[in-house]
Amino acid sequence: MFTVVAAALAVHLPARATPRSGSARVAMSGAAPVAASLSFAKYHGLGNDFALVDCREAGEPTITPEQAVSMCDRNFGVGADGVIFVLPPDVPNAEYRMRIYNSDGSEPEMCGNGIRCMAKFIGDVDGKAATTMQISTMAGMIVPELLADGSICVDMGEPFLKGSDVPTTLPGNDEGVVINAPLEVGGKQWEVTCVGMGNPHAIVFVDDLDALDFDRIGPLFESDDAFPARTNTEFVQVLSPTHLRMKVWERGAGPTLACGTGACALVVAAVLAGKAERSCTVTLPGGDLQIEWRESDNKIYMTGPAEPVFSGTYKAK
């Protein structure tokens, strides 16, 4: 259970975490002690929502993946697509480290909407306005910038294009890049382009998103044998060379209102397939992101919002 301590329009964020005196904790091997309760703040990026927990004092996540599943439950918990832990840096030049547990308890390499929410959370907790941060993730260093208008621009780094790096076993071209590779899923032939953003993405272009049997086909793509680490799947309708519309089935979370790494991956896929320009508006179920794959440095830049919802104390089960 949790106790809400602030309304959506007046969020009172928890102070930087310190160990609770007298809290019941169970030691975990190689991890911080498990907290009986913890302060959190809920944020969303275009409806992709997360519980943010400041673990800079503890050094590691203070709940288990199983407890994160309970916390993410939308009927009996806080309700979220994942729990994000703000941790001390673990590599040179980093200021913070990100770890995230999905709503099914799995741990992805990073999350694009989540990194914007984390940057906004840190800015709010530490009283930072417009600033750039260095955040280490399992996908490498990510650099978000808090802009004066309240949005966040994130340097997402360079995409992984070689199929074995995504990873996927689908056949690639002479450079190993998987573009419009044939794949049978759910009794139908699809053409799939694969892009890695530190996490795997399979991009499928369709003529009509609304005609797609999304809830049936999404989980079949996620667990197909062509993706040894499972995959996020973006179904994309090209509205124009600078405007793409998508639905996403996220690995470990299912259908979500937005996926930042997916929006980046699909713009790369659209450029590779000759369907779009390098700077696009991507319309997701939760709203729009601006994505640019810069030719000058081969990096992808994602710009979009992150908003606080409420904060509270969660009693871990």
Side-chain angles (χ1 to χ4, degrees):
M1 63 181 292
F2 67 93
T3 304
V4 175
V5 295
L9 296 181
V11 176
H12 176 72
L13 292 164
R16 180 164 172 168
T18 55
R20 291 174 175 269
S21 176
S23 294
R25 297 174 183 267
V26 178
M28 293 177 62
S29 177
V34 177
S37 63
L38 71 160
S39 297
F40 72 92
K42 183 171 176 176
Y43 281 66
H44 79 89
L46 300 179
N48 195 191
D49 56 346
F50 305 92
L52 278 294
V53 182
D54 191 340
C55 294
R56 284 177 284 181
E57 293 291 339
E60 292 294 342
T62 49
I63 58 172
T64 66
E66 294 76 17
Q67 289 173 315
V69 172
S70 297
M71 189 175 185
C72 289
D73 190 285
R74 296 192 181 276
N75 297 109
F76 299 102
V78 173
D81 291 320
V83 182
I84 293 173
F85 305 95
V86 180
L87 301 166
D90 60 339
V91 296
N93 300 321
E95 299 171 89
Y96 314 96
R97 176 165 57 107
M98 174 195 209
R99 287 185 65 184
I100 176 172
Y101 293 155
N102 281 327
S103 57
D104 71 347
S106 61
E107 183 172 6
E109 296 84 352
M110 67 90 64
C111 172
N113 286 309
I115 204 82
R116 295 200 317 276
C117 290
M118 178 172 165
K120 176 67 173 172
F121 172 70
I122 293 170
D124 290 342
V125 169
D126 292 354
K128 295 182 177 180
T131 188
T132 300
M133 304 175 187
Q134 304 274 342
I135 300 176
S136 71
T137 75
M138 292 169 62
M141 190 76 75
I142 304 295
V143 185
E145 180 182 3
L146 302 177
L147 302 179
D149 65 1
S151 63
I152 299 98
C153 178
V154 185
D155 172 357
M156 298 288 286
E158 299 184 47
F160 298 99
L161 300 182
K162 191 175 180 180
S164 58
D165 294 333
V166 172
T168 179
T169 60
L170 290 174
N173 60 19
D174 291 342
E175 288 75 39
V177 183
V178 179
I179 304 173
N180 292 334
L183 178 66
E184 182 177 340
V185 177
K188 180 179 177 179
Q189 284 290 331
W190 307 82
E191 291 186 343
V192 182
T193 299
C194 296
V195 176
M197 290 299 304
N199 56 357
H201 292 270
I203 298 92
V204 180
F205 295 98
V206 298
D207 293 329
D208 185 0
L209 270 181
D210 297 325
L212 183 70
D213 191 357
F214 180 68
D215 290 335
R216 183 184 74 87
I217 205 68
L220 298 179
F221 264 94
E222 177 185 358
S223 58
D224 192 89
D225 289 342
F227 308 106
R230 297 190 295 160
T231 191
N232 303 282
T233 309
E234 288 76 35
F235 299 94
V236 185
Q237 183 176 350
V238 179
L239 302 179
S240 80
T242 58
H243 191 183
L244 308 173
R245 179 180 170 229
M246 65 95 92
K247 286 185 177 179
V248 58
W249 188 276
E250 288 201 49
R251 180 186 59 167
T256 61
L257 293 177
C259 177
T261 56
C264 295
L266 72 87
V267 169
V268 173
V271 172
L272 293 175
K275 296 178 181 292
E277 298 178 9
R278 284 179 170 264
S279 183
C280 293
T281 297
V282 178
T283 296
L284 307 97
D288 290 349
L289 289 173
Q290 303 300 317
I291 307 296
E292 180 185 5
W293 184 18
R294 289 186 189 167
E295 198 163 8
S296 60
D297 60 9
N298 199 41
K299 292 183 177 182
I300 305 171
Y301 295 83
M302 170 187 63
T303 303
E307 301 290 342
V309 183
F310 60 83
S311 61
T313 301
Y314 178 73
K315 295 185 178 180
K317 298 176 182 179

